[in-house]
Amino acid sequence: MNRRDALCSLTLGAMGVAAIGGRQAYSDSSDSSVADDCVQKLIDVRQAQRFTDAPVSATDVERIVTAGLNAPSALNLQPWFFTVVTDRKLLAAIDKTAKVDPKGRFSVGGAPLVIFVSTNEDDYGKYDAGAAADRMNVVANLLGYGCKTVATAPKAANNPEYRDRLHIPENYAIVAALLIGKEIEPSVDGVSGATTREPREKKVFFVN
């Protein structure tokens, strides 16, 4: 990891994104431009579409998962469970069960690392699990990985044949999966089917 990426990870504490590698908070970055770079990266980030086979390092996996575990939740109930999977055969089997579309847009088998996010059926649980997933997404991107969130194939992983292997707690269900890895190409193309963002004036209103 180069100096700029390292400082970006340190800046996470100052940004309030996550506590990584401990509870120490960083109130200032040693390089203010690094904080600006990190913020701009989060503004520009989008869903990755295709990944290389390069593995995510164990250290980075730990940091990503820790970010999710440290996410806020209502009454600090922490209604989430993460299953970290690198078994490509298992992921391919889940895709087959889910009958994902030919372009693989909703596949879980396209990345070297997949984190299944499970929660209970409570509305707050789903919201909190979503917040935890977003924390992991943010940290993965700041560590230099691409990240994609899918929900179609993960539903198939709730089948009994997979629940035991994924150690899903009783009364919990998988609601999403984060695909993480080095991105093959940093461009949105026909594979993603991505559409343009709605105009700001349709999505934001300021009350002064």
Side-chain angles (χ1 to χ4, degrees):
M1 181 185 296
N2 61 34
R3 177 178 178 274
R4 184 160 294 275
D5 287 340
L7 286 172
C8 268
S9 65
L10 294 180
T11 306
L12 290 171
M15 292 171 62
V17 173
I20 298 177
R23 307 296 295 183
Q24 182 177 4
Y26 293 85
S27 59
D28 297 294
S29 169
S30 60
D31 183 351
S32 61
S33 67
V34 173
D36 291 339
D37 287 349
C38 289
V39 171
Q40 191 60 50
K41 185 170 185 178
L42 295 182
I43 291 174
D44 295 337
V45 75
R46 45 145 194 84
Q47 295 241 69
Q49 298 302 329
R50 290 183 278 191
F51 304 88
T52 71
D53 290 329
V56 178
S57 74
T59 298
D60 287 344
V61 172
E62 180 63 25
R63 298 170 85 187
I64 292 167
V65 171
T66 300
L69 294 174
N70 286 336
S73 61
L75 302 177
N76 197 31
L77 293 176
Q78 305 165 55
W80 49 61
F81 185 84
F82 309 140
T83 306
V84 182
V85 181
T86 55
D87 184 338
R88 301 297 284 270
K89 290 184 178 179
L90 173 59
L91 296 173
I94 293 172
D95 276 344
K96 186 175 181 179
T97 300
K99 299 179 181 179
V100 297
D101 69 285
K103 291 184 177 180
R105 288 177 293 181
F106 312 113
S107 165
V108 294
L113 172 70
V114 175
I115 301 178
F116 288 98
V117 180
S118 305
T119 186
N120 54 40
E121 293 302 315
D122 183 86
D123 287 340
Y124 287 109
K126 292 178 181 178
Y127 173 83
D128 292 338
D134 191 55
R135 286 288 181 96
M136 291 190 283
N137 187 321
V138 166
V139 172
N141 276 282
L142 288 178
L143 289 174
Y145 298 99
C147 188
K148 180 178 182 179
T149 305
V150 295
T152 300
K155 293 179 180 178
N158 285 308
N159 290 356
E161 60 185 303
Y162 301 122
R163 286 184 61 87
D164 286 344
R165 293 187 66 181
L166 297 173
H167 292 269
I168 308 304
E170 186 177 357
N171 299 323
Y172 271 49
I174 297 171
V175 293
L178 299 180
L179 282 63
I180 301 171
K182 292 294 183 181
E183 194 173 6
I184 289 179
E185 53 186 22
S187 61
V188 176
D189 56 26
V191 174
S192 69
T195 55
T196 57
R197 293 286 178 175
E198 293 278 1
R200 288 170 63 87
E201 57 269 19
K202 291 184 64 175
K203 296 297 181 181
V204 183
F205 182 79
F206 292 91
V207 179
N208 297 315

